Amino acid sequence: MEQAERPSETQFIRLLAGQAPEGDGPDPAGSATLLALLLANWQVLPGLDPTLLETALVAEDHPRFARARLAVTAFEQAQIVGCAGFLAALDTAGIRYALLKGAAAGCLLYPERHLRAAWDFDLGVGWDDLADAEALALDCGFHQAQRDPDRGQFVRADRELRAIVEESHFELGFLARRLLVTNLPDETRAAIRDEPWTHQFWHDADTDAPWCYAVVDIHHKLSLDIELDGLLACSWQKLYPDHVIGLPDFAWFGAHLVFKLYWESVHAYGKGLYQYADLVRLVPMLDPITFLRLVSILREHNLTAAAYHVFKHLPRFGIALPDHVAAFIAEARVPRAGTDPIDTNDLGDMWPKLWNRR
C-alpha cells in the first residue's frame, strides 16, 4: 500500500505549483524535511517566491534557503551568459537547433530564463550538424571534459572512454567551460562562502573570486529510440531583445518532459520530482489540438502508459485539468485487452519513487 504523504511533502507539492503552503505554522522536523526537499530539487529554487516560505520554514532554516536560492540563481545566470556565444554561433552558422529539458523550460514556461535552473544546457541538433556544432562549441571556449567525482570538477576527457560512451549514447560527452564571475553581488558571494551546500556549483568559494562551469550537452537523439528529426522540424525561434533562441514547440516539449519524468523516476528513487513544476505550468497552455499532437507523439513511441501515470497526478498540485487532458487520463486508465506491461512500457506508478519510497 502506498504510504500517505507527509505534511512537508504536501507543502512541497504546493510550492512546485507556485502556491503558498497551508498549515498552522512550521515545526522543526517538518521544516527540516521541507528544506531537504527544496535542496534536493534545487532546480526550482530561483523561481520560488521567498514569501511563500514564510509560514513553512522555521526561522533557523530561512537563512539556508535564502543562501541556496541566491547561489543557484547566480549559477544559472552565469550559465546563460557562458552559453550565449555558442548559441549565437549556431545561429550565425545556420545550424538548426532547439534547447531541451530545463534550458527549454526556462524559455517556454517561466517569466525569465534563469528562474528554472539545471546542471547544464541541453540542446539538440541534427546528426549531419553534430560535428559542426561541436567544433563551434570548442571555438567558443568549451572543452571536451568529464566530471571528476572526487573533486566535483571537470577534467580533460579521456578520449577512448569518451568514444565508447558516445558510441552507445545519444549525445556528445560533456563540453565544459570554466567561468570566473567577477560581478557577483556581495550578498551572493557571502551566501556562496557561508553555505557549504552551494559548493557543488561554485568552486574556490572561500575566496573573492568564486567560479563555476558552463556545460553543454549536444544531443542528436532524444533517447536511443526517439529521433530528433520531428522535434527539430517543429522547432521555432523565440525573439529576445538582442538574440534569438531555438526552442521545441509545446507538443514536443511536453512529450519529452513526460518521457523524462516517467522513465527516470521509475528507474531511480527520488529523482525528477522538480519536473512537475514544469508540467503544472505547461498543461494550462496546451490547447486541444496541441495536446492531441503531444499524445500522438507519445503513442508513436509507445509512451501512452507513461503519460497516464504522469498526468494522473496533476490534480495533487491543485490545478484544474482541461477537459481534453482529463479525457485522456480516463481513456488511458484501462489498458487495452491483451496488452503486456513490458511491451507497452508500463512500469507502474512512479509516484512513490519520486518520494524515495518503494
Side-chain angles (χ1 to χ4, degrees):
M1 178 181 294
E2 182 179 328
Q3 299 177 31
E5 292 162 6
R6 302 179 181 93
S8 55
E9 294 174 354
T10 302
Q11 290 179 325
F12 185 63
I13 288 172
R14 291 184 61 83
L15 287 171
L16 288 179
Q19 302 163 4
E22 296 177 334
D24 298 329
D27 63 87
S31 177
T33 301
L34 179 57
L35 180 60
L37 285 168
L38 290 167
L39 297 184
N41 294 274
W42 55 267
Q43 293 88 342
V44 304
L45 288 181
L48 282 180
D49 182 350
T51 62
L52 297 179
L53 277 298
E54 289 178 353
T55 60
L57 296 178
V58 297
E60 295 78 13
D61 289 334
H62 273 286
R64 286 204 68 198
F65 164 74
R67 290 194 294 266
R69 183 173 179 271
L70 283 172
V72 172
T73 299
F75 172 70
E76 187 61 24
Q77 290 171 324
Q79 280 213 79
I80 289 171
V81 173
C83 295
F86 173 51
L87 298 185
L90 290 172
D91 191 53
T92 299
I95 294 177
R96 188 165 199 168
Y97 76 90
L99 297 186
L100 304 173
K101 301 194 291 187
C107 296
L108 292 172
L109 305 177
Y110 295 82
E112 296 183 67
R113 291 172 61 192
H114 69 272
L115 296 181
R116 169 59 159 86
W119 272 120
D120 47 35
F121 264 51
D122 291 277
L123 61 89
V125 301
W127 173 258
D128 292 341
D129 291 323
L130 189 62
D132 289 340
E134 182 178 26
L136 287 175
L138 298 177
D139 288 344
C140 291
F142 289 85
H143 299 276
Q144 294 178 342
Q146 62 193 53
R147 188 182 291 275
D148 180 343
D150 295 327
R151 293 188 296 161
Q153 297 184 17
F154 285 94
V155 296
R156 297 269 182 184
D158 180 313
R159 291 186 178 275
E160 292 185 3
L161 177 61
R162 183 183 178 93
I164 292 172
V165 171
E166 291 178 355
E167 184 177 358
S168 59
H169 285 69
F170 48 90
E171 60 187 300
L172 296 180
F174 291 119
L175 293 163
R177 177 186 175 194
R178 176 173 164 163
L179 302 176
L180 180 60
V181 184
T182 58
N183 61 345
L184 288 173
D186 291 343
E187 185 181 19
T188 300
R189 280 207 308 273
I192 293 169
R193 181 189 65 237
D194 297 339
E195 180 54 60
W197 178 87
T198 71
H199 300 171
Q200 60 188 305
F201 309 102
W202 293 95
H203 305 276
D204 291 336
D206 57 348
T207 73
D208 290 332
W211 56 274
C212 65
Y213 291 103
V215 181
V216 170
D217 281 352
I218 305 177
H219 298 245
H220 55 86
K221 291 185 177 183
L222 294 182
S223 75
L224 291 176
D225 302 314
I226 306 177
E227 301 291 340
L228 254 174
D229 296 348
L231 183 150
L232 289 175
C234 298
S235 64
W236 61 289
Q237 289 189 318
K238 182 174 181 177
L239 300 179
Y240 288 88
D242 56 354
H243 61 284
V244 297
I245 297 291
L247 296 168
D249 69 354
F250 280 136
W252 268 103
F253 175 81
H256 193 205
L257 177 59
V258 166
F259 167 71
K260 293 290 292 182
L261 207 165
Y262 185 70
W263 211 242
E264 290 180 353
S265 62
V266 295
H267 286 287
Y269 287 100
K271 183 176 182 180
L273 184 60
Y274 64 89
Q275 294 177 101
Y276 264 107
D278 299 338
L279 195 64
V280 298
R281 287 159 176 77
L282 173 67
V283 166
M285 299 180 178
L286 299 175
D287 60 72
I289 298 301
T290 303
F291 186 74
L292 183 63
R293 288 189 54 241
L294 186 161
V295 171
S296 176
I297 294 166
L298 292 167
R299 284 175 174 157
E300 179 183 353
H301 297 289
N302 201 18
L303 292 168
T304 301
Y308 164 71
H309 288 299
V310 168
F311 284 125
K312 74 179 183 182
H313 292 293
L314 283 170
R316 295 177 183 262
F317 294 84
I319 66 168
L321 288 180
D323 290 343
H324 47 280
V325 179
F328 166 79
I329 295 171
E331 178 186 348
R333 184 178 64 84
V334 179
R336 287 181 289 111
T339 55
D340 180 84
I342 300 300
D343 291 341
T344 56
N345 286 328
D346 188 349
L347 301 183
D349 190 11
M350 78 293 178
W351 190 255
K353 287 189 175 182
L354 286 172
W355 299 100
N356 202 35
R357 295 194 287 265
R358 296 186 187 278

